[in-house]
Amino acid sequence: MSENKLKKGRPADLTHRIETEIRCYDLLDRINVEYEHLDHEPAMTMEICAEIDKVIDADICKNLFLCNRQKTKFYLLLIPGDKKFLTKDISQQINSARLSFAGEEEMMKYLQIQPGSVSILGLMNDREHAVQLLIDTDVLKCHHIGIHPCINTTTLRIPTNDLMEKLVPALEHEPILVTL
């Protein structure tokens, strides 16, 4: 990891940050979410996320961008990082045909995020509300969660109650709670 210290709030120097990442900090600051950030190497695997988890002392969530077979309905699923995703379990709960992973093109179109950087914060870019937010109930049991600010070289530590009480309402994507 390039740094291994958690820092309060937004990074002090935003010079080399992407515009989408800066907008994440702007949103969190505007809605009074207390957060900390950790800069690190790209988090492309759950193993790297586990190392990050040790530093931030939060549960890292998997953020899965899914779609139905026809690619007419899109979903963002938040589940604990150590939980297995079984498409049949979730498909039944939301009355959908079997789900699969949506492609990079759809990810950019709706969330303006590259693969590996998917985050609930990407929903701020979905102004058409084309993506349905799904949250596994076990996420609600976490004290803090770790999420990316739309880029996988930084992880934010956010209180779960702020996620549900401040961030989700601000994103204007009413979640469907699921149990996997």
Side-chain angles (χ1 to χ4, degrees):
M1 265 184 271
S2 58
E3 296 181 32
N4 61 2
K5 186 175 181 212
L6 203 53
K7 297 179 181 172
K8 189 171 177 73
R10 69 175 52 221
D13 182 7
L14 299 175
T15 307
H16 301 289
R17 307 287 177 155
I18 63 171
E19 184 261 339
T20 308
E21 177 184 7
I22 295 168
R23 285 193 3 232
C24 290
Y25 303 132
D26 292 344
L27 171 63
L28 294 171
D29 291 345
R30 187 175 70 246
I31 61 174
N32 297 313
V33 170
E34 288 197 26
Y35 62 97
E36 296 165 284
H37 77 275
L38 176 72
D39 291 325
H40 49 74
E41 64 184 276
M44 296 302 288
T45 65
M46 288 310 292
E47 290 77 23
I48 294 172
C49 290
E51 289 298 313
I52 295 165
D53 184 29
K54 290 177 188 173
V55 176
I56 68 169
D57 189 28
D59 294 283
I60 301 291
C61 288
K62 282 190 244 183
N63 295 264
L64 306 177
F65 188 52
L66 308 167
C67 65
N68 63 0
R69 189 170 298 155
Q70 301 80 13
K71 295 187 176 184
T72 56
K73 294 187 179 181
F74 296 89
Y75 304 89
L76 179 62
L77 171 64
L78 273 66
I79 61 172
D82 59 354
K83 203 168 200 184
K84 287 208 182 276
F85 166 66
L86 299 172
T87 184
K88 68 178 178 102
D89 291 346
I90 195 157
S91 297
Q92 291 172 348
Q93 290 181 56
I94 63 170
N95 281 334
S96 174
R98 197 164 278 217
L99 301 175
S100 62
F101 291 98
E104 184 175 340
E105 185 178 312
E106 291 91 357
M107 196 178 296
M108 280 303 296
K109 177 180 178 181
Y110 296 112
L111 302 178
Q112 298 175 20
I113 295 178
Q114 298 290 330
S117 299
V118 176
S119 163
I120 187 172
L121 286 164
L123 292 174
M124 71 181 180
N125 300 315
D126 179 27
R127 293 186 175 94
E128 304 298 318
H129 294 80
V131 179
Q132 173 63 58
L133 176 60
L134 307 173
I135 301 176
D136 184 279
T137 54
D138 283 342
V139 169
L140 305 179
K141 297 174 186 173
C142 305
H143 193 259
H144 286 87
I145 64 163
I147 59 174
H148 295 308
C150 296
I151 190 161
N152 67 357
T153 54
T154 301
T155 299
L156 305 178
R157 179 180 191 257
I158 296 177
T160 304
N161 63 334
D162 276 0
L163 171 84
M164 297 305 295
E165 295 170 14
K166 296 178 181 179
L167 182 56
V168 169
L171 294 170
E172 299 177 349
H173 281 72
E174 187 67 33
I176 295 174
L177 297 179
V178 295
T179 304
L180 297 177

